[in-house]
């Protein structure tokens, strides 16, 4: 069982997640620059590429917001703000090492519920501007989320089943001798895929895709756009980070302290996702939704059944 972190950690958590999201975005910008213009010729050039997300954030801070006719500004703003808020609330149950801001008895359920809150957030962000393209982006995320929530939920539940507890700290403690990723590889891989989809990122970025002029963010500009897109990066960091206590042993590891192992494992997962997104094909929505319903759901159910048999026979 993990311990509760000091009270100041509650205040620091959003800033830590924001910095982690900025670093991840910078790493992605370096990879994108290398793919488009070749490897950086110097450290200075690599640093300039890595700083591109920060420069874009500063530009959006001074950009004027966009107004559309008959927009529902209240619901639109609520949706925009809820994306990073849901990500931070989900991150509250993440143990860094063996300490978490909160470790409730239903921490696994809490994390999944906050991801579900992001569904409503993105849909509201698409609905609010009263624009066809942004509304299409919002509905795309609903369809994508519904398709990937079941395998995502079953993968999370499989880890909780292996630990016989919904408390995140207990899931970490249950992996003291053997990581769940070793004997739950299907659940682990499916969790990572569905995490990308829940963060509507990479090959699963159809809710913000170019064919709909930016989708749910089509009519957003200035601070509104910064908050939504920044919240997406924070959501990616949190979903990647949650794979560590679920499947990679949390803070367990030799020599280094628990928080260092958590940081290293989270960085490795993020590097894998950011690098791997260029290897995954960007399928049409109906194709990968079919994959989710027809392939991933049965696989996660089969993995959960295997884990249940092992747990019952301990």
């Amino acid at each position: 069982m993990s311990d509760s972190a000091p009270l100041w950690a509650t205040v620091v958590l959003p800033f830590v997640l924001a910095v982690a999201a900025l670093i991840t975005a910078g790493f992605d910008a370096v990879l994108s620059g290398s793919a488009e213009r070749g490897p950086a010729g110097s450290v200075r050039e690599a640093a300039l590429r890595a700083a591109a997300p920060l420069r874009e954030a500063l530009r959006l801070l001074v950009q004027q917001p966009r107004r559309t006719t008959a927009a529902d500004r209240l619901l639109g703003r609520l949706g925009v703000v809820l994306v990073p808020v849901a990500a931070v609330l989900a991150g509250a149950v993440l143990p860094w090492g063996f300490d978490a801001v909160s470790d409730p008895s239903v921490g696994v359920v809490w994390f999944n519920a906050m991801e579900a809150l992001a569904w409503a957030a993105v849909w509201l962000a698409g609905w609010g501007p009263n624009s066809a393209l942004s509304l299409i982006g919002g509905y795309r995320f609903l369809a994508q989320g519904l398709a990937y929530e079941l395998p995502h939920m079953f993968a999370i539940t499989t880890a909780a089943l292996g630990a016989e507890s919904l408390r995140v700290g207990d899931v970490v403690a249950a992996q003291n001798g053997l990581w769940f990723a070793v004997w739950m590889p299907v659940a682990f891989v499916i969790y990572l895929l569905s995490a990308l989809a829940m963060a509507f990122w990479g090959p699963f970025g159809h809710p913000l895709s170019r064919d709909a002029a930016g989708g749910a963010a089509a009519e957003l500009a200035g601070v509104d756009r910064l908050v939504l897109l920044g919240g997406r990066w924070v959501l990616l960091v949190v979903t990647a980070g949650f794979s560590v206590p679920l499947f990679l042993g949390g803070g367990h590891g030799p020599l280094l302290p628990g928080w260092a192992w958590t940081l290293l494992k989270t960085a490795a997962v993020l590097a894998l996702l950011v690098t791997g997104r260029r290897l995954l094909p960007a399928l049409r929505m109906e194709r990968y939704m079919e994959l989710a319903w027809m392939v991933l759901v049965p696989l996660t159910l089969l993995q959960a059944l295997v884990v249940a048999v092992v747990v019952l026979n301990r």
Side-chain angles (χ1 to χ4, degrees), residues 141-161:
F141 186 62
L142 284 184
Q144 176 171 293
L146 286 172
Y148 277 87
E149 170 59 17
L150 279 180
H152 189 72
M153 179 183 66
F154 288 145
I156 292 174
T157 304
T158 300
L161 179 62

Side-chain angles (χ1 to χ4, degrees), residues 10 23 40 54 67-68 72 86 103 121 135 143 153 178 184 191-192 213 218-219 229 238 241 252 257 259 270 277 280:
T10 306
I23 293 173
L54 180 59
R67 298 286 183 259
T68 53
D72 192 330
D103 189 25
L135 186 59
M153 179 183 66
L178 182 67
M184 303 178 191
Y191 174 86
L192 293 182
E219 302 297 342
L229 299 183
V238 171
H252 291 296
W259 65 266
L270 282 170
R277 78 155 179 163
L280 295 175

